[in-house]
Amino acid sequence: MLLDELTALSNYYGSDENLVLAGGGNTSLKDGDFMYIKGSGTALSTITNDGFVKMNRKKLAEVFEKTYPDDDKTREAMSLKDLFLARAEGEEKRPSVETLLHSLFPFKYVLHLHPSLVNGLTCSVGGRKASEEIFGDSVLWIEPCKPGYTLAKICCDALATFKKEHNKPCDMMLLANHGVFVAAETREELDKKLSFILEKIGEKNIYMPDFSTGEFLPDESNDAFEEINAVFSEYLEDCFVTFEPNTEALRFAKSEHSAQDVLRPFTPDHIVYCKPYPLYLERVCDIKSLVSEYLKKHGYLPKILLVKDCGFFSVDKTVKGASTAAALFDDALKIAVYSKSFGGPRFMSEELTDFIVNWEAESYRSSQN
């Protein structure tokens, strides 16, 4: 069955932590008039045949023929309604937020991932130039923009231009501060194209992150752990804290200056799973006041605390949430290191960050994990 093929493909890629973390990434398969795509908030590593949503391709195409209001909230609500109406009869699951993007590629298989190695390039100041040097015009580059309908419409126009200029459809696309899309008619071609992108970027990468345990201060770390737990327990009914003293975390935590390369978000996933702004602490004794100030400023608690001579701590109301936040921040550390090969880090703008923080689609996705 086709869904068996899609499930196997999804589980394969989803089980590789170098390619997929938490609920990130999605897959799809086209079959005649319909397209099957991962349901929103579903993990690729464990998805089953029932986790995909059957979509009507004709109705998806009609979405791009409509004109939506400029207001973010209204536009996204209207386009989301039309996306739901494009589901095949009897479907009730919520499709991936990137369903429209998948529908644009005229290939049987489409794979979208957020590998840290790739995002070392897409989240760098010299990313576009490096992409052109590495891939020429064979890989389409999309500049940062608001996700959802806006991104889909920009990609729709860019893919149409690519086809006109090259007399063939685009099958590989890099989204700045986001990830990669590859499309193909067979599973073998899909594997080959993804490997091509990873290998070519890897050849140009000259910095490798070090995740061995670093030289942290045990007493200071124990004090920080206890203080963090005590402070956050005042806000959370249940509080779970993880501690990560790897070499990269300690290097970035050395000073507030060195921490700047990881104190802003690189991709939507970092915003969704570990909040956009980690909190830097030079002194453990300042935790209570700084957390209070952070909450007043942002309206939510930090999930990541970078502590001098300790590394970083992740905090959440569940064990899974704390562990997921830690995994995504480790991913951010990798991206920060890889980005040095391409001119240094390039963060998401405050406008895009605020949009995603308040975007209903991402709020739904994070609630499913």
Side-chain angles (χ1 to χ4, degrees), residues 220-221 223-225 227-228 281-288 307-308 310:
E220 189 83 1
S221 299
D223 289 344
F225 190 98
E227 287 286 347
I228 290 170
L281 298 169
E282 186 167 354
R283 301 187 308 169
V284 175
C285 61
D286 293 331
I287 289 178
K288 187 167 182 141
V307 184
K308 183 177 181 179
C310 297

Side-chain angles (χ1 to χ4, degrees), residues 180-214:
V180 59
F181 272 87
V182 292
E185 287 300 319
T186 68
R187 166 71 183 276
E188 292 73 22
E189 291 174 351
L190 201 68
D191 291 341
K192 187 176 181 179
K193 290 173 183 178
L194 179 62
S195 295
F196 167 73
I197 289 177
L198 292 171
E199 288 172 7
K200 289 298 182 181
I201 294 177
E203 289 173 1
K204 296 296 182 179
N205 180 64
I206 58 177
Y207 296 98
M208 293 297 295
D210 182 356
F211 281 84
S212 62
T213 300

Side-chain angles (χ1 to χ4, degrees), residues 128-141 162 166 174 196:
R128 181 166 196 155
K129 180 180 179 182
S131 177
E132 293 172 351
E133 292 174 351
I134 296 171
F135 302 112
D137 59 0
S138 64
V139 176
L140 182 62
W141 176 273
F162 183 99
H166 296 81
L174 290 173
F196 167 73

Side-chain angles (χ1 to χ4, degrees), residues 289-305:
S289 61
L290 289 178
V291 168
S292 177
E293 291 173 10
Y294 185 104
L295 181 59
K296 289 178 182 178
K297 179 179 180 180
H298 299 290
Y300 50 80
L301 292 167
K303 282 196 174 186
I304 300 295
L305 297 96

Side-chain angles (χ1 to χ4, degrees), residues 252-322:
F252 284 110
K254 187 175 181 180
S255 69
E256 189 165 8
H257 175 74
S258 62
Q260 292 307 306
D261 284 352
V262 291
L263 292 185
R264 292 168 59 190
F266 285 113
T267 74
D269 274 0
H270 297 117
I271 296 173
V272 171
Y273 295 110
C274 56
K275 295 299 184 185
Y277 306 112
L279 176 62
Y280 178 76
L281 298 169
E282 186 167 354
R283 301 187 308 169
V284 175
C285 61
D286 293 331
I287 289 178
K288 187 167 182 141
S289 61
L290 289 178
V291 168
S292 177
E293 291 173 10
Y294 185 104
L295 181 59
K296 289 178 182 178
K297 179 179 180 180
H298 299 290
Y300 50 80
L301 292 167
K303 282 196 174 186
I304 300 295
L305 297 96
L306 202 60
V307 184
K308 183 177 181 179
D309 297 326
C310 297
F312 78 83
F313 299 80
S314 64
V315 189
D316 195 69
K317 59 185 178 180
T318 68
V319 173
K320 182 179 179 181

Side-chain angles (χ1 to χ4, degrees), residues 73-86:
K73 189 173 182 179
T74 305
R75 179 190 65 249
E76 292 306 311
M78 291 178 66
S79 60
L80 178 62
K81 181 179 179 180
D82 287 335
L83 182 63
F84 284 173
L85 291 173

Side-chain angles (χ1 to χ4, degrees), residues 34-81:
F34 297 96
M35 179 178 80
Y36 296 89
I37 189 159
K38 189 193 86 163
S40 181
T42 307
L44 286 175
S45 59
T46 57
I47 195 170
T48 63
N49 289 12
D50 294 334
F52 296 96
V53 186
K54 187 177 182 180
M55 306 295 297
N56 185 305
R57 294 178 66 188
K58 181 179 179 181
K59 290 183 178 179
L60 287 173
E62 291 173 353
V63 173
F64 292 101
E65 299 174 2
K66 298 187 176 184
T67 300
Y68 296 102
D70 291 333
D71 175 70
D72 289 340
K73 189 173 182 179
T74 305
R75 179 190 65 249
E76 292 306 311
M78 291 178 66
S79 60
L80 178 62
K81 181 179 179 180

